Amino acid sequence: MQFKDLEFWFIVGSQFLYGEETLRHVEEDAKIMVEEMNKSGNLPLPVRYKTTVKTCEDASDIIAQANYDKACAGIIVFCHTFSPSKMWINGLVALQKPYLHFHSQFLSTIPNEEINMDYMNLHQSAHGDREHAFMGARLDLKRKIVVGYWKDKDVQEKIGKWMRASAGVAFSKQLKLVRFGDNMREVGVTEGDKVEAQIKFGWQVNTWPVGDLVQKIQYVTQEEVDKQVEEYEKHYVYQIEDKEAVRYQALVELGMKKMLEEQGAHGFTNTFENLYGMEQLPGLATQDLMRQGYGFGAEGDWKVSAMTAIIKFMSEGLTGGNSFIEDYTYDFEAGLALGAHMLEVCPTIATDKALIEVHPLGIGGKKDPARLVFEGKEGPACLASLVQMGNRFRLLVHEIDCVKPHKDMPNLPTARVMWEAKPNLADGAKAWMLAGGAHHSTLTYDLDFEVLQDFCRIMDIECVHINADTDPDKLEEELFLKDIAWKLK
Ligand code: MN
């Protein structure tokens, strides 16, 4: 699935009451809105005007078409006249695509001098949209409501964020993951119910023995490895003369990529506890695959791998970067956290070109792996962590500010990024731990809370937001009440 192949359908709600002339206006106005919004540059994907719904059959037909159309990633509905919405029930109960209720109006102001009943009848969004919103509430429809003038940038950007979330949902529904081996022994948060994940998110998570990869890399040719080693030079800077360790990473990357392509998979996991027959733990290999958009989770963590793949897909065209990351160590005095992993951080978040280095690895009992070493970018970002709470999934979204490390760390042989957590280190970490967030997460500079919240709403999963306003005591209370509510659902 390609991001650029997706689109959104713009459907207008109306009725026959005001006559053909009004309906002609409704359609003309809607087409102007769609055309100008597409030209604004604020929407990552196109909107297409599809139809004006006037009957129950109209609504059911267009929603049935949307459900079956692979390119249609979601529906935007706008009620331009007074549009009765009981006629939408049969369509909406069958709806399988993300839904945005756009509460706008063709003109931004009330033309006081000229206003008459014809104008009123055409511009009854405040009327028809409330009727439509009642139906959304009555049906418990998982919809985003965007309110505001359709030409305003901030309004268009809200739609744009929902488009990214909806594209992520479309991608998620067909996502396949390859797990090389199982989870790291005895780790809890990386476990989960793969059947429930497929029911909820569509993910096909399956395991292959690492021996299959060892076999696969035997068929990679020296010429392919030569090309891959050269390819690395386009993106990274060699800090070493002897490229033997890099050649092995190239071999592993090519082998993994062949297996992923054969399976049509966009994410993978591995674990240092299961490297039988391999010379090094994949480091550079994994990092370079993440750069290309593949999701990754270490220690068998398939949930973070899937979320990283989805977040990368949702971020199409943005340049901030996204990576698998792990909370490692704190500076309590400076109020900073240092995120890293033993090898596998994605170079899309690097400040400068990443360096290729070779160092020993304390665990795994293998040869010294080649890896990319770099510092992460400065700037606002989010950490996203999906955990399974028995009967349900919960996505934690933690707002952070990434900062330049205040001192050099010349002896740290891994990529790293330092951040100030919101509201502060202690309360942020406490909130995260109260909500059961994992040590692994996806670090995204491209997506903010709103996109991830939209994703959770469409997927009907719990979302926990940790930001500048978070009070751990209030969050504890909120989690307690939400837990009861989710268990009753
Ligand atoms: Mn880890």
Side-chain angles (χ1 to χ4, degrees), residues 411-431:
N411 294 312
L412 182 66
T414 181
R416 77 299 293 264
V417 52
M418 199 167 250
W419 62 74
E420 287 171 3
K422 290 184 179 176
N424 56 61
L425 174 59
D427 286 342
K430 187 174 172 183

Side-chain angles (χ1 to χ4, degrees), residues 414-457:
T414 181
R416 77 299 293 264
V417 52
M418 199 167 250
W419 62 74
E420 287 171 3
K422 290 184 179 176
N424 56 61
L425 174 59
D427 286 342
K430 187 174 172 183
W432 183 270
M433 292 165 84
L434 280 169
H439 50 281
H440 288 163
S441 57
T442 307
L443 169 61
T444 173
Y445 290 77
D446 285 327
L447 305 183
D448 64 6
F449 171 68
E450 190 172 343
V451 180
L452 296 165
Q453 182 190 36
D454 287 348
F455 178 81
C456 291
R457 190 187 306 106

